[in-house]
PDB file of all heavy atoms in Angstrom:
ATOM      1  N   ARG A   1     162.302  88.566  72.841  1.00  0.00           N
ATOM      2  CA  ARG A   1     163.799  88.726  73.110  1.00  0.00           C
ATOM      3  C   ARG A   1     164.264  90.118  72.793  1.00  0.00           C
ATOM      4  O   ARG A   1     164.996  90.773  73.526  1.00  0.00           O
ATOM      5  CB  ARG A   1     164.563  87.661  72.314  1.00  0.00           C
ATOM      6  CG  ARG A   1     164.316  86.238  72.715  1.00  0.00           C
ATOM      7  CD  ARG A   1     164.986  85.249  71.796  1.00  0.00           C
ATOM      8  NE  ARG A   1     164.718  83.885  72.112  1.00  0.00           N
ATOM      9  CZ  ARG A   1     165.415  83.145  72.990  1.00  0.00           C
ATOM     10  NH1 ARG A   1     166.508  83.713  73.558  1.00  0.00           N
ATOM     11  NH2 ARG A   1     165.075  81.907  73.247  1.00  0.00           N
ATOM     12  N   PHE A   2     163.838  90.627  71.608  1.00  0.00           N
ATOM     13  CA  PHE A   2     164.165  91.987  71.224  1.00  0.00           C
ATOM     14  C   PHE A   2     163.588  93.077  72.158  1.00  0.00           C
ATOM     15  O   PHE A   2     164.259  94.013  72.499  1.00  0.00           O
ATOM     16  CB  PHE A   2     163.705  92.258  69.793  1.00  0.00           C
ATOM     17  CG  PHE A   2     164.410  91.494  68.704  1.00  0.00           C
ATOM     18  CD1 PHE A   2     164.008  91.504  67.400  1.00  0.00           C
ATOM     19  CD2 PHE A   2     165.572  90.723  69.035  1.00  0.00           C
ATOM     20  CE1 PHE A   2     164.652  90.816  66.414  1.00  0.00           C
ATOM     21  CE2 PHE A   2     166.210  90.008  68.040  1.00  0.00           C
ATOM     22  CZ  PHE A   2     165.749  90.070  66.748  1.00  0.00           C
ATOM     23  N   ASP A   3     162.357  92.842  72.603  1.00  0.00           N
ATOM     24  CA  ASP A   3     161.722  93.761  73.521  1.00  0.00           C
ATOM     25  C   ASP A   3     162.502  93.883  74.805  1.00  0.00           C
ATOM     26  O   ASP A   3     162.626  94.976  75.413  1.00  0.00           O
ATOM     27  CB  ASP A   3     160.263  93.358  73.797  1.00  0.00           C
ATOM     28  CG  ASP A   3     159.345  93.500  72.626  1.00  0.00           C
ATOM     29  OD1 ASP A   3     159.762  94.142  71.641  1.00  0.00           O
ATOM     30  OD2 ASP A   3     158.246  92.940  72.632  1.00  0.00           O
ATOM     31  N   ASN A   4     163.003  92.751  75.337  1.00  0.00           N
ATOM     32  CA  ASN A   4     163.801  92.832  76.525  1.00  0.00           C
ATOM     33  C   ASN A   4     165.071  93.597  76.321  1.00  0.00           C
ATOM     34  O   ASN A   4     165.517  94.330  77.245  1.00  0.00           O
ATOM     35  CB  ASN A   4     164.128  91.371  77.003  1.00  0.00           C
ATOM     36  CG  ASN A   4     162.934  90.629  77.475  1.00  0.00           C
ATOM     37  OD1 ASN A   4     161.967  91.201  77.967  1.00  0.00           O
ATOM     38  ND2 ASN A   4     162.973  89.297  77.375  1.00  0.00           N
ATOM     39  N   LEU A   5     165.627  93.538  75.144  1.00  0.00           N
ATOM     40  CA  LEU A   5     166.879  94.283  74.878  1.00  0.00           C
ATOM     41  C   LEU A   5     166.611  95.775  74.790  1.00  0.00           C
ATOM     42  O   LEU A   5     167.488  96.559  75.064  1.00  0.00           O
ATOM     43  CB  LEU A   5     167.465  93.780  73.537  1.00  0.00           C
ATOM     44  CG  LEU A   5     168.082  92.357  73.551  1.00  0.00           C
ATOM     45  CD1 LEU A   5     168.582  92.005  72.145  1.00  0.00           C
ATOM     46  CD2 LEU A   5     169.194  92.286  74.539  1.00  0.00           C
ATOM     47  N   THR A   6     165.400  96.224  74.398  1.00  0.00           N
ATOM     48  CA  THR A   6     165.138  97.623  74.310  1.00  0.00           C
ATOM     49  C   THR A   6     165.261  98.306  75.623  1.00  0.00           C
ATOM     50  O   THR A   6     165.743  99.465  75.745  1.00  0.00           O
ATOM     51  CB  THR A   6     163.724  97.881  73.733  1.00  0.00           C
ATOM     52  OG1 THR A   6     162.736  97.301  74.611  1.00  0.00           O
ATOM     53  CG2 THR A   6     163.581  97.311  72.334  1.00  0.00           C
ATOM     54  N   THR A   7     164.908  97.599  76.680  1.00  0.00           N
ATOM     55  CA  THR A   7     165.002  98.167  78.045  1.00  0.00           C
ATOM     56  C   THR A   7     166.479  98.248  78.454  1.00  0.00           C
ATOM     57  O   THR A   7     166.936  99.252  79.047  1.00  0.00           O
ATOM     58  CB  THR A   7     164.241  97.283  79.057  1.00  0.00           C
ATOM     59  OG1 THR A   7     162.907  97.175  78.706  1.00  0.00           O
ATOM     60  CG2 THR A   7     164.358  97.883  80.470  1.00  0.00           C
ATOM     61  N   VAL A   8     167.222  97.216  78.079  1.00  0.00           N
ATOM     62  CA  VAL A   8     168.700  97.170  78.424  1.00  0.00           C
ATOM     63  C   VAL A   8     169.447  98.337  77.770  1.00  0.00           C
ATOM     64  O   VAL A   8     170.268  98.983  78.416  1.00  0.00           O
ATOM     65  CB  VAL A   8     169.322  95.806  78.039  1.00  0.00           C
ATOM     66  CG1 VAL A   8     170.798  95.817  78.250  1.00  0.00           C
ATOM     67  CG2 VAL A   8     168.644  94.692  78.814  1.00  0.00           C
ATOM     68  N   HIS A   9     169.115  98.590  76.492  1.00  0.00           N
ATOM     69  CA  HIS A   9     169.916  99.570  75.711  1.00  0.00           C
ATOM     70  C   HIS A   9     169.216 100.953  75.598  1.00  0.00           C
ATOM     71  O   HIS A   9     169.680 101.761  74.839  1.00  0.00           O
ATOM     72  CB  HIS A   9     170.175  98.991  74.340  1.00  0.00           C
ATOM     73  CG  HIS A   9     171.049  97.790  74.379  1.00  0.00           C
ATOM     74  ND1 HIS A   9     172.288  97.757  74.930  1.00  0.00           N
ATOM     75  CD2 HIS A   9     170.782  96.484  74.010  1.00  0.00           C
ATOM     76  CE1 HIS A   9     172.807  96.542  74.829  1.00  0.00           C
ATOM     77  NE2 HIS A   9     171.936  95.748  74.314  1.00  0.00           N
ATOM     78  N   ASN A  10     168.078 101.097  76.290  1.00  0.00           N
ATOM     79  CA  ASN A  10     167.436 102.441  76.322  1.00  0.00           C
ATOM     80  C   ASN A  10     167.047 102.914  74.972  1.00  0.00           C
ATOM     81  O   ASN A  10     167.314 104.064  74.546  1.00  0.00           O
ATOM     82  CB  ASN A  10     168.324 103.451  77.018  1.00  0.00           C
ATOM     83  CG  ASN A  10     167.574 104.695  77.370  1.00  0.00           C
ATOM     84  OD1 ASN A  10     166.385 104.703  77.624  1.00  0.00           O
ATOM     85  ND2 ASN A  10     168.259 105.842  77.409  1.00  0.00           N
ATOM     86  N   VAL A  11     166.422 102.070  74.160  1.00  0.00           N
ATOM     87  CA  VAL A  11     165.846 102.502  72.831  1.00  0.00           C
ATOM     88  C   VAL A  11     164.369 102.234  72.876  1.00  0.00           C
ATOM     89  O   VAL A  11     163.850 101.468  73.659  1.00  0.00           O
ATOM     90  CB  VAL A  11     166.519 101.665  71.700  1.00  0.00           C
ATOM     91  CG1 VAL A  11     167.958 101.949  71.603  1.00  0.00           C
ATOM     92  CG2 VAL A  11     166.248 100.156  71.836  1.00  0.00           C
ATOM     93  N   TYR A  12     163.707 102.961  72.015  1.00  0.00           N
ATOM     94  CA  TYR A  12     162.195 102.906  71.993  1.00  0.00           C
ATOM     95  C   TYR A  12     161.777 102.052  70.777  1.00  0.00           C
ATOM     96  O   TYR A  12     162.177 102.337  69.643  1.00  0.00           O
ATOM     97  CB  TYR A  12     161.591 104.272  71.905  1.00  0.00           C
ATOM     98  CG  TYR A  12     160.084 104.245  71.617  1.00  0.00           C
ATOM     99  CD1 TYR A  12     159.239 103.706  72.560  1.00  0.00           C
ATOM    100  CD2 TYR A  12     159.577 104.775  70.447  1.00  0.00           C
ATOM    101  CE1 TYR A  12     157.873 103.648  72.316  1.00  0.00           C
ATOM    102  CE2 TYR A  12     158.168 104.754  70.218  1.00  0.00           C
ATOM    103  CZ  TYR A  12     157.357 104.183  71.179  1.00  0.00           C
ATOM    104  OH  TYR A  12     156.014 104.147  70.936  1.00  0.00           O
ATOM    105  N   LYS A  13     160.919 101.041  71.003  1.00  0.00           N
ATOM    106  CA  LYS A  13     160.419 100.240  69.917  1.00  0.00           C
ATOM    107  C   LYS A  13     159.231 101.005  69.287  1.00  0.00           C
ATOM    108  O   LYS A  13     158.234 101.250  69.930  1.00  0.00           O
ATOM    109  CB  LYS A  13     159.880  98.899  70.487  1.00  0.00           C
ATOM    110  CG  LYS A  13     159.155  98.029  69.474  1.00  0.00           C
ATOM    111  CD  LYS A  13     158.627  96.815  70.172  1.00  0.00           C
ATOM    112  CE  LYS A  13     157.715  96.003  69.265  1.00  0.00           C
ATOM    113  NZ  LYS A  13     157.136  94.807  69.973  1.00  0.00           N
ATOM    114  N   VAL A  14     159.390 101.351  68.022  1.00  0.00           N
ATOM    115  CA  VAL A  14     158.398 102.111  67.334  1.00  0.00           C
ATOM    116  C   VAL A  14     157.240 101.166  66.873  1.00  0.00           C
ATOM    117  O   VAL A  14     156.075 101.460  67.159  1.00  0.00           O
ATOM    118  CB  VAL A  14     158.991 102.860  66.091  1.00  0.00           C
ATOM    119  CG1 VAL A  14     157.906 103.693  65.393  1.00  0.00           C
ATOM    120  CG2 VAL A  14     160.106 103.740  66.560  1.00  0.00           C
ATOM    121  N   GLU A  15     157.596 100.108  66.174  1.00  0.00           N
ATOM    122  CA  GLU A  15     156.536  99.244  65.700  1.00  0.00           C
ATOM    123  C   GLU A  15     157.176  97.954  65.121  1.00  0.00           C
ATOM    124  O   GLU A  15     158.374  97.879  64.904  1.00  0.00           O
ATOM    125  CB  GLU A  15     155.696  99.899  64.614  1.00  0.00           C
ATOM    126  CG  GLU A  15     156.450 100.307  63.368  1.00  0.00           C
ATOM    127  CD  GLU A  15     155.576 101.008  62.334  1.00  0.00           C
ATOM    128  OE1 GLU A  15     154.379 101.036  62.542  1.00  0.00           O
ATOM    129  OE2 GLU A  15     156.108 101.502  61.332  1.00  0.00           O
ATOM    130  N   THR A  16     156.273  96.997  64.876  1.00  0.00           N
ATOM    131  CA  THR A  16     156.631  95.796  64.080  1.00  0.00           C
ATOM    132  C   THR A  16     155.636  95.610  62.959  1.00  0.00           C
ATOM    133  O   THR A  16     154.426  95.770  63.204  1.00  0.00           O
ATOM    134  CB  THR A  16     156.654  94.542  64.973  1.00  0.00           C
ATOM    135  OG1 THR A  16     155.401  94.378  65.568  1.00  0.00           O
ATOM    136  CG2 THR A  16     157.708  94.636  66.060  1.00  0.00           C
ATOM    137  N   ILE A  17     156.114  95.330  61.781  1.00  0.00           N
ATOM    138  CA  ILE A  17     155.265  95.015  60.635  1.00  0.00           C
ATOM    139  C   ILE A  17     155.756  93.705  60.037  1.00  0.00           C
ATOM    140  O   ILE A  17     156.840  93.673  59.498  1.00  0.00           O
ATOM    141  CB  ILE A  17     155.277  96.154  59.593  1.00  0.00           C
ATOM    142  CG1 ILE A  17     154.845  97.468  60.231  1.00  0.00           C
ATOM    143  CG2 ILE A  17     154.348  95.813  58.411  1.00  0.00           C
ATOM    144  CD1 ILE A  17     154.985  98.662  59.303  1.00  0.00           C
ATOM    145  N   ARG A  18     154.908  92.695  60.185  1.00  0.00           N
ATOM    146  CA  ARG A  18     155.348  91.333  59.730  1.00  0.00           C
ATOM    147  C   ARG A  18     156.642  90.963  60.435  1.00  0.00           C
ATOM    148  O   ARG A  18     156.685  90.937  61.671  1.00  0.00           O
ATOM    149  CB  ARG A  18     155.459  91.250  58.227  1.00  0.00           C
ATOM    150  CG  ARG A  18     154.134  91.408  57.476  1.00  0.00           C
ATOM    151  CD  ARG A  18     154.235  91.289  56.001  1.00  0.00           C
ATOM    152  NE  ARG A  18     154.648  89.977  55.580  1.00  0.00           N
ATOM    153  CZ  ARG A  18     155.708  89.720  54.849  1.00  0.00           C
ATOM    154  NH1 ARG A  18     156.503  90.700  54.405  1.00  0.00           N
ATOM    155  NH2 ARG A  18     155.986  88.493  54.482  1.00  0.00           N
ATOM    156  N   ASP A  19     157.693  90.775  59.655  1.00  0.00           N
ATOM    157  CA  ASP A  19     158.994  90.441  60.268  1.00  0.00           C
ATOM    158  C   ASP A  19     159.918  91.630  60.517  1.00  0.00           C
ATOM    159  O   ASP A  19     161.046  91.459  60.939  1.00  0.00           O
ATOM    160  CB  ASP A  19     159.749  89.369  59.435  1.00  0.00           C
ATOM    161  CG  ASP A  19     160.047  89.893  58.045  1.00  0.00           C
ATOM    162  OD1 ASP A  19     159.224  90.626  57.466  1.00  0.00           O
ATOM    163  OD2 ASP A  19     161.166  89.594  57.554  1.00  0.00           O
ATOM    164  N   ALA A  20     159.451  92.789  60.165  1.00  0.00           N
ATOM    165  CA  ALA A  20     160.218  94.043  60.321  1.00  0.00           C
ATOM    166  C   ALA A  20     160.100  94.559  61.748  1.00  0.00           C
ATOM    167  O   ALA A  20     159.001  94.647  62.328  1.00  0.00           O
ATOM    168  CB  ALA A  20     159.827  95.084  59.318  1.00  0.00           C
ATOM    169  N   TYR A  21     161.224  94.929  62.355  1.00  0.00           N
ATOM    170  CA  TYR A  21     161.277  95.413  63.709  1.00  0.00           C
ATOM    171  C   TYR A  21     161.957  96.785  63.716  1.00  0.00           C
ATOM    172  O   TYR A  21     163.101  96.890  63.141  1.00  0.00           O
ATOM    173  CB  TYR A  21     162.025  94.451  64.615  1.00  0.00           C
ATOM    174  CG  TYR A  21     161.919  94.629  66.088  1.00  0.00           C
ATOM    175  CD1 TYR A  21     160.930  93.999  66.817  1.00  0.00           C
ATOM    176  CD2 TYR A  21     162.807  95.450  66.762  1.00  0.00           C
ATOM    177  CE1 TYR A  21     160.863  94.160  68.212  1.00  0.00           C
ATOM    178  CE2 TYR A  21     162.720  95.646  68.157  1.00  0.00           C
ATOM    179  CZ  TYR A  21     161.759  94.982  68.857  1.00  0.00           C
ATOM    180  OH  TYR A  21     161.646  95.155  70.185  1.00  0.00           O
ATOM    181  N   MET A  22     161.364  97.815  64.276  1.00  0.00           N
ATOM    182  CA  MET A  22     161.898  99.165  64.182  1.00  0.00           C
ATOM    183  C   MET A  22     162.064  99.786  65.574  1.00  0.00           C
ATOM    184  O   MET A  22     161.183  99.767  66.376  1.00  0.00           O
ATOM    185  CB  MET A  22     160.963 100.040  63.373  1.00  0.00           C
ATOM    186  CG  MET A  22     161.336 101.492  63.233  1.00  0.00           C
ATOM    187  SD  MET A  22     160.075 102.443  62.336  1.00  0.00           S
ATOM    188  CE  MET A  22     160.744 104.070  62.368  1.00  0.00           C
ATOM    189  N   VAL A  23     163.294 100.329  65.835  1.00  0.00           N
ATOM    190  CA  VAL A  23     163.547 101.031  67.086  1.00  0.00           C
ATOM    191  C   VAL A  23     164.174 102.353  66.798  1.00  0.00           C
ATOM    192  O   VAL A  23     164.731 102.565  65.733  1.00  0.00           O
ATOM    193  CB  VAL A  23     164.431 100.217  68.028  1.00  0.00           C
ATOM    194  CG1 VAL A  23     163.782  98.881  68.368  1.00  0.00           C
ATOM    195  CG2 VAL A  23     165.770 100.037  67.475  1.00  0.00           C
ATOM    196  N   VAL A  24     164.154 103.267  67.799  1.00  0.00           N
ATOM    197  CA  VAL A  24     164.758 104.587  67.656  1.00  0.00           C
ATOM    198  C   VAL A  24     165.307 105.047  69.002  1.00  0.00           C
ATOM    199  O   VAL A  24     164.864 104.609  70.032  1.00  0.00           O
ATOM    200  CB  VAL A  24     163.709 105.573  67.150  1.00  0.00           C
ATOM    201  CG1 VAL A  24     162.610 105.792  68.161  1.00  0.00           C
ATOM    202  CG2 VAL A  24     164.386 106.905  66.778  1.00  0.00           C
ATOM    203  N   SER A  25     166.354 105.852  68.946  1.00  0.00           N
ATOM    204  CA  SER A  25     166.816 106.507  70.121  1.00  0.00           C
ATOM    205  C   SER A  25     166.950 108.005  69.816  1.00  0.00           C
ATOM    206  O   SER A  25     167.338 108.376  68.719  1.00  0.00           O
ATOM    207  CB  SER A  25     168.196 105.931  70.554  1.00  0.00           C
ATOM    208  OG  SER A  25     168.619 106.621  71.762  1.00  0.00           O
ATOM    209  N   GLY A  26     166.595 108.852  70.834  1.00  0.00           N
ATOM    210  CA  GLY A  26     166.588 110.291  70.570  1.00  0.00           C
ATOM    211  C   GLY A  26     165.210 110.822  70.442  1.00  0.00           C
ATOM    212  O   GLY A  26     164.998 112.038  70.319  1.00  0.00           O
ATOM    213  N   VAL A  27     164.211 109.964  70.460  1.00  0.00           N
ATOM    214  CA  VAL A  27     162.761 110.320  70.335  1.00  0.00           C
ATOM    215  C   VAL A  27     162.002 109.486  71.320  1.00  0.00           C
ATOM    216  O   VAL A  27     162.198 108.269  71.410  1.00  0.00           O
ATOM    217  CB  VAL A  27     162.251 110.030  68.901  1.00  0.00           C
ATOM    218  CG1 VAL A  27     160.804 110.301  68.803  1.00  0.00           C
ATOM    219  CG2 VAL A  27     163.013 110.813  67.899  1.00  0.00           C
ATOM    220  N   PRO A  28     161.033 110.048  72.069  1.00  0.00           N
ATOM    221  CA  PRO A  28     160.732 111.475  72.178  1.00  0.00           C
ATOM    222  C   PRO A  28     161.581 112.195  73.176  1.00  0.00           C
ATOM    223  O   PRO A  28     161.478 113.397  73.337  1.00  0.00           O
ATOM    224  CB  PRO A  28     159.258 111.460  72.658  1.00  0.00           C
ATOM    225  CG  PRO A  28     159.199 110.231  73.523  1.00  0.00           C
ATOM    226  CD  PRO A  28     160.073 109.216  72.871  1.00  0.00           C
ATOM    227  N   THR A  29     162.487 111.468  73.856  1.00  0.00           N
ATOM    228  CA  THR A  29     163.391 112.075  74.807  1.00  0.00           C
ATOM    229  C   THR A  29     164.717 112.321  74.107  1.00  0.00           C
ATOM    230  O   THR A  29     165.382 111.351  73.665  1.00  0.00           O
ATOM    231  CB  THR A  29     163.587 111.231  76.040  1.00  0.00           C
ATOM    232  OG1 THR A  29     162.316 110.932  76.683  1.00  0.00           O
ATOM    233  CG2 THR A  29     164.532 111.886  77.026  1.00  0.00           C
ATOM    234  N   ARG A  30     165.095 113.560  73.965  1.00  0.00           N
ATOM    235  CA  ARG A  30     166.320 113.835  73.292  1.00  0.00           C
ATOM    236  C   ARG A  30     167.528 113.391  74.112  1.00  0.00           C
ATOM    237  O   ARG A  30     167.556 113.511  75.370  1.00  0.00           O
ATOM    238  CB  ARG A  30     166.434 115.378  73.044  1.00  0.00           C
ATOM    239  CG  ARG A  30     165.426 115.864  71.992  1.00  0.00           C
ATOM    240  CD  ARG A  30     165.467 117.383  71.883  1.00  0.00           C
ATOM    241  NE  ARG A  30     164.668 117.839  70.754  1.00  0.00           N
ATOM    242  CZ  ARG A  30     163.380 117.987  70.717  1.00  0.00           C
ATOM    243  NH1 ARG A  30     162.694 117.720  71.876  1.00  0.00           N
ATOM    244  NH2 ARG A  30     162.700 118.427  69.699  1.00  0.00           N
ATOM    245  N   THR A  31     168.563 112.861  73.417  1.00  0.00           N
ATOM    246  CA  THR A  31     169.766 112.413  74.042  1.00  0.00           C
ATOM    247  C   THR A  31     170.936 112.526  73.055  1.00  0.00           C
ATOM    248  O   THR A  31     170.782 112.307  71.853  1.00  0.00           O
ATOM    249  CB  THR A  31     169.632 110.947  74.556  1.00  0.00           C
ATOM    250  OG1 THR A  31     170.870 110.485  75.047  1.00  0.00           O
ATOM    251  CG2 THR A  31     169.215 110.036  73.436  1.00  0.00           C
ATOM    252  N   ASN A  32     172.101 112.866  73.602  1.00  0.00           N
ATOM    253  CA  ASN A  32     173.303 112.947  72.783  1.00  0.00           C
ATOM    254  C   ASN A  32     173.948 111.590  72.530  1.00  0.00           C
ATOM    255  O   ASN A  32     174.818 111.486  71.665  1.00  0.00           O
ATOM    256  CB  ASN A  32     174.334 113.847  73.454  1.00  0.00           C
ATOM    257  CG  ASN A  32     173.876 115.325  73.517  1.00  0.00           C
ATOM    258  OD1 ASN A  32     173.189 115.788  72.571  1.00  0.00           O
ATOM    259  ND2 ASN A  32     174.232 116.016  74.571  1.00  0.00           N
ATOM    260  N   SER A  33     173.439 110.548  73.220  1.00  0.00           N
ATOM    261  CA  SER A  33     173.985 109.185  73.033  1.00  0.00           C
ATOM    262  C   SER A  33     173.063 108.327  72.163  1.00  0.00           C
ATOM    263  O   SER A  33     173.107 107.105  72.312  1.00  0.00           O
ATOM    264  CB  SER A  33     174.222 108.534  74.391  1.00  0.00           C
ATOM    265  OG  SER A  33     173.034 108.474  75.127  1.00  0.00           O
ATOM    266  N   HIS A  34     172.285 108.930  71.317  1.00  0.00           N
ATOM    267  CA  HIS A  34     171.314 108.184  70.504  1.00  0.00           C
ATOM    268  C   HIS A  34     172.029 107.119  69.616  1.00  0.00           C
ATOM    269  O   HIS A  34     171.578 106.013  69.455  1.00  0.00           O
ATOM    270  CB  HIS A  34     170.452 109.126  69.630  1.00  0.00           C
ATOM    271  CG  HIS A  34     171.269 110.011  68.767  1.00  0.00           C
ATOM    272  ND1 HIS A  34     171.547 109.683  67.483  1.00  0.00           N
ATOM    273  CD2 HIS A  34     171.746 111.247  69.002  1.00  0.00           C
ATOM    274  CE1 HIS A  34     172.297 110.667  66.931  1.00  0.00           C
ATOM    275  NE2 HIS A  34     172.415 111.646  67.833  1.00  0.00           N
ATOM    276  N   ALA A  35     173.176 107.548  69.004  1.00  0.00           N
ATOM    277  CA  ALA A  35     173.884 106.584  68.107  1.00  0.00           C
ATOM    278  C   ALA A  35     174.441 105.440  68.922  1.00  0.00           C
ATOM    279  O   ALA A  35     174.371 104.284  68.471  1.00  0.00           O
ATOM    280  CB  ALA A  35     174.981 107.340  67.351  1.00  0.00           C
ATOM    281  N   GLU A  36     175.010 105.664  70.080  1.00  0.00           N
ATOM    282  CA  GLU A  36     175.588 104.600  70.911  1.00  0.00           C
ATOM    283  C   GLU A  36     174.483 103.650  71.389  1.00  0.00           C
ATOM    284  O   GLU A  36     174.675 102.435  71.416  1.00  0.00           O
ATOM    285  CB  GLU A  36     176.342 105.192  72.117  1.00  0.00           C
ATOM    286  CG  GLU A  36     177.517 106.022  71.766  1.00  0.00           C
ATOM    287  CD  GLU A  36     177.223 107.511  71.733  1.00  0.00           C
ATOM    288  OE1 GLU A  36     176.342 107.898  70.888  1.00  0.00           O
ATOM    289  OE2 GLU A  36     177.802 108.283  72.541  1.00  0.00           O
ATOM    290  N   ASN A  37     173.352 104.220  71.827  1.00  0.00           N
ATOM    291  CA  ASN A  37     172.271 103.350  72.275  1.00  0.00           C
ATOM    292  C   ASN A  37     171.819 102.357  71.199  1.00  0.00           C
ATOM    293  O   ASN A  37     171.617 101.170  71.518  1.00  0.00           O
ATOM    294  CB  ASN A  37     171.047 104.234  72.679  1.00  0.00           C
ATOM    295  CG  ASN A  37     171.303 105.062  73.937  1.00  0.00           C
ATOM    296  OD1 ASN A  37     172.263 104.771  74.672  1.00  0.00           O
ATOM    297  ND2 ASN A  37     170.535 106.068  74.176  1.00  0.00           N
ATOM    298  N   VAL A  38     171.650 102.871  69.979  1.00  0.00           N
ATOM    299  CA  VAL A  38     171.193 102.021  68.909  1.00  0.00           C
ATOM    300  C   VAL A  38     172.317 101.034  68.474  1.00  0.00           C
ATOM    301  O   VAL A  38     172.066  99.865  68.232  1.00  0.00           O
ATOM    302  CB  VAL A  38     170.746 102.825  67.688  1.00  0.00           C
ATOM    303  CG1 VAL A  38     170.519 101.973  66.486  1.00  0.00           C
ATOM    304  CG2 VAL A  38     169.471 103.580  68.061  1.00  0.00           C
TER     305      VAL A  38
END
């Protein structure tokens, strides 16, 4: 479910460790809307 949302909101899934889920915006493609995307 979260993976599907990453496409919708244009964020990059970095990794998952156990129950931890990590995403980022602004890497590796720079964008001024990184805060809004996340």
